[in-house]
């Protein structure tokens, strides 16, 4: 039986100096930004301790074990064998997205984003010099899926790229292999590019059916890039490391033409930590984390059903983010503002994810059962007042 990974105590977490634990006063429970409250994977801790002990704190090398470590991880976890020679590292997924979009679009070109979506996507497209074209996910009542007809219309109207979130943030949707295959065909037939942000992929629950975009077809490999990182699953965002992954000669050629500084922005500690995270040595820890997150996503459902029955929430397929519709409570377009002010719980603002986020909040359940329970109790008390 897999042993769950348990979150640190609230007292210990208050000693952290990262954004999650420094943005708000100590009376606020912070469940907004995507940091987790678990101890590091032991292999990651050992790698970082060794680097500090040995003073291994210089520039990242031109040749590192990171790509090979990710290949092993992808084989074990997804049954996918990408080519390590077709990968380049950079500081984070956001930087990778911008650098790729800059080279597959011209200033003013439109890039499809599938709202509601990770708020920085809007800014990243603009940073690359392009223009956002929103094509909302289709809400089927019990799940979300890509609106392939809407994406086709956008491409026929001149959109040049699709910025895909796979698995999707904030809904936790794992896009089906069939949808990804169809998306690749659409992009290929319109000469467009797909950039797939797969930062939440290691957090896909067993049996969710997660499929890497570049694995679905020859068309996907010709039109696509993936940008991956250990940072979300292993809580390494501050160490700055991601991989840009190609799967064809054409797309690899684009990565090879990136300025050398793009790769040099990789953090040395980030590379060492990510290599350890992707190693087989960390699989047991990750399996335990997924058990805890499965328990927590179900706990959120149970607590909402008991305390806030008018809230609408679907279990995410991946990640540690709960997308909750509070429209039925009548708390306005941005209920997180009232929740922060009156309940002293910090959630991510729903409207930041696009117009579809009105009346919604995003709650980070990558923490302890006690913190989740107290947060929902505080929020529910607003309805009892």
């Amino acid at each position: 039986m897999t042993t769950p990974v348990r979150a640190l105590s609230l007292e210990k977490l208050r000693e952290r100096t990262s954004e999650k634990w420094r943005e708000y006063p100590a009376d606020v429970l912070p469940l907004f930004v995507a940091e987790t409250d678990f101890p590091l994977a032991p292999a990651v801790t050992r790698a970082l301790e060794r680097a500090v002990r040995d003073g291994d704190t210089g520039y990242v090398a031109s040749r590192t074990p990171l790509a090979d470590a990710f290949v092993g991880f992808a084989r074990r976890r997804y049954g996918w064998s990408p080519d390590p020679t077709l990968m380049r590292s950079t500081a984070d997924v956001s930087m990778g997205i911008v650098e790729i979009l800059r080279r597959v679009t011209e200033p003013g070109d439109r890039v499809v984003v599938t709202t509601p979506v990770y708020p920085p996507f809007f800014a990243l497209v603009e940073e690359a010099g392009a223009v956002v074209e929103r094509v909302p996910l289709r809400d089927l009542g019990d799940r979300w899926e890509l609106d392939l007809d809407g994406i086709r219309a956008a491409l026929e109207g001149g959109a040049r790229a699709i910025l895909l979130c796979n698995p999707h943030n904030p809904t936790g949707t794992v896009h089906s292999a069939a949808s990804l295959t169809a998306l690749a065909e659409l992009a290929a037939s319109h000469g467009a590019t797909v950039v797939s942000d797969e930062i939440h992929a290691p957090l896909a629950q067993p049996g969710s059916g997660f499929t890497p975009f570049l694995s679905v077809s020859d068309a996907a490999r010709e039109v696509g890039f993936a940008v991956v990182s250990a940072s979300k699953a292993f809580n390494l965002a501050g160490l700055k490391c991601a991989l840009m992954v190609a799967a064809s000669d054409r797309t690899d050629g684009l990565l090879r033409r990136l300025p050398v500084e793009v790769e040099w922005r990789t953090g040395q500690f980030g590379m060492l930590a990510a290599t350890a995270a992707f190693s087989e040595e960390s699989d047991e820890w990750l399996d335990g984390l997924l058990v805890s997150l499965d328990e927590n996503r179900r706990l959120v459902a149970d607590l909402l059903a008991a305390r806030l029955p008018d809230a609408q929430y679907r279990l995410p397929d991946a990640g540690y983010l709960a997308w909750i519709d509070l429209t039925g409570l009548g708390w306005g377009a941005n209920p997180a503002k009232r929740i922060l002010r009156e309940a002293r719980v910090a959630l991510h603002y729903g409207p930041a994810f696009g117009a579809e986020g009105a009346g919604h909040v995003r709650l980070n359940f990558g923490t302890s059962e006690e913190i989740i329970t107290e947060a929902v109790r505080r929020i529910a008390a607003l309805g009892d007042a």
Side-chain angles (χ1 to χ4, degrees):
M1 173 177 278
T2 301
T3 302
V5 176
R6 296 305 182 193
L8 300 172
S9 68
L10 182 58
E11 179 183 27
K12 192 67 178 175
L13 292 167
R14 292 286 183 199
E15 296 176 5
R16 288 185 172 181
T17 61
S18 61
E19 169 67 3
K20 184 176 185 181
W21 293 99
R22 284 294 179 266
E23 178 66 17
Y24 295 105
D27 65 327
V28 172
L29 290 179
L31 301 179
F32 66 114
V33 72
E35 297 180 22
T36 58
D37 296 344
F38 304 97
L40 290 178
V44 171
T45 299
R46 287 192 293 271
L48 294 173
E49 288 176 340
R50 185 182 310 115
V52 171
R53 183 188 67 233
D54 295 346
D56 190 10
T57 55
Y59 293 112
V60 72
S62 58
R63 290 183 298 278
T64 76
L66 176 60
D68 286 327
F70 176 70
V71 171
F73 182 87
R75 285 173 179 159
R76 297 191 308 275
R77 310 298 292 199
Y78 316 139
W80 174 43
S81 296
D83 185 339
T85 69
L86 306 185
M87 301 178 191
R88 298 291 180 274
S89 68
T90 191
D92 53 38
V93 165
S94 292
M95 183 174 289
I97 288 169
V98 170
E99 295 299 337
I100 293 169
L101 286 179
R102 279 178 174 157
R103 287 153 181 85
V104 300
T105 62
E106 298 293 335
D109 280 350
R110 285 174 286 124
V111 175
V112 170
V113 299
T114 55
T115 52
V117 76
Y118 178 56
F121 270 22
F122 306 114
L124 298 178
V125 171
E126 293 176 1
E127 184 180 345
V131 177
V132 169
E133 178 153 350
R134 294 171 170 82
V135 179
L137 296 176
R138 294 182 64 216
D139 186 344
L140 303 182
D142 61 342
R143 67 187 190 282
W144 291 271
E145 69 176 17
L146 296 173
D147 181 358
L148 294 170
D149 290 336
I151 294 172
R152 178 184 292 107
L155 295 175
E156 289 175 350
R160 302 301 302 147
I162 303 106
L163 180 49
L164 178 69
C165 202
N166 178 43
H168 196 86
N169 173 8
T171 65
T173 301
V174 166
H175 300 302
S176 71
S179 289
L180 297 177
T181 301
L183 179 66
E185 293 295 336
L186 281 175
S189 64
H190 291 86
T193 300
V194 177
V195 182
S196 185
D197 173 352
E198 299 186 356
I199 197 169
H200 292 273
L203 295 169
Q205 285 291 331
S208 67
F210 171 74
T211 305
F213 177 74
L214 295 178
S215 74
V216 298
S217 67
D218 288 339
R221 289 181 277 278
E222 284 297 323
V223 304
F225 298 87
V227 192
V228 304
S229 177
S231 63
K232 281 291 180 286
F234 292 87
N235 204 42
L236 305 175
L239 301 184
K240 294 300 178 185
C241 181
L243 278 171
M244 301 170 288
V245 183
S248 73
D249 290 342
R250 184 187 70 82
T251 53
D252 178 53
L254 182 146
L255 293 186
R256 288 181 180 277
R257 290 191 296 274
L258 292 175
V260 67
E261 288 296 332
V262 172
E263 195 159 4
W264 264 48
R265 290 169 186 152
T266 308
Q268 169 73 344
F269 278 5
M271 182 277 295
L272 294 170
T275 300
F278 287 138
S279 73
E280 193 168 2
E281 194 175 1
S282 291
D283 282 356
E284 183 178 357
W285 182 92
L286 181 57
D287 289 339
L289 177 67
L290 289 171
V291 169
S292 291
L293 295 181
D294 181 37
E295 294 172 352
N296 286 357
R297 65 176 179 159
R298 297 178 190 279
L299 175 63
V300 172
D302 292 342
L303 291 170
L304 291 175
R307 299 299 305 271
L308 282 170
D310 290 331
Q312 302 297 314
Y313 162 65
R314 302 167 200 168
L315 292 182
D317 301 319
Y320 47 80
L321 305 170
W323 185 237
I324 306 171
D325 183 355
L326 299 180
T327 306
L329 278 67
W331 292 355
N334 196 357
K337 286 188 174 182
R338 181 187 177 193
I339 291 169
L340 176 59
R341 183 177 64 251
E342 300 180 26
R344 309 304 285 163
V345 177
L347 306 176
H348 209 316
Y349 293 173
F353 295 80
E356 298 76 19
H360 290 65
V361 296
R362 194 191 74 176
L363 180 151
N364 178 345
F365 58 80
T367 186
S368 67
E369 295 180 7
E370 293 77 15
I371 289 176
I372 295 168
T373 301
E374 173 61 13
V376 175
R377 185 199 67 78
R378 292 186 189 187
I379 296 168
L382 299 180
D384 298 336

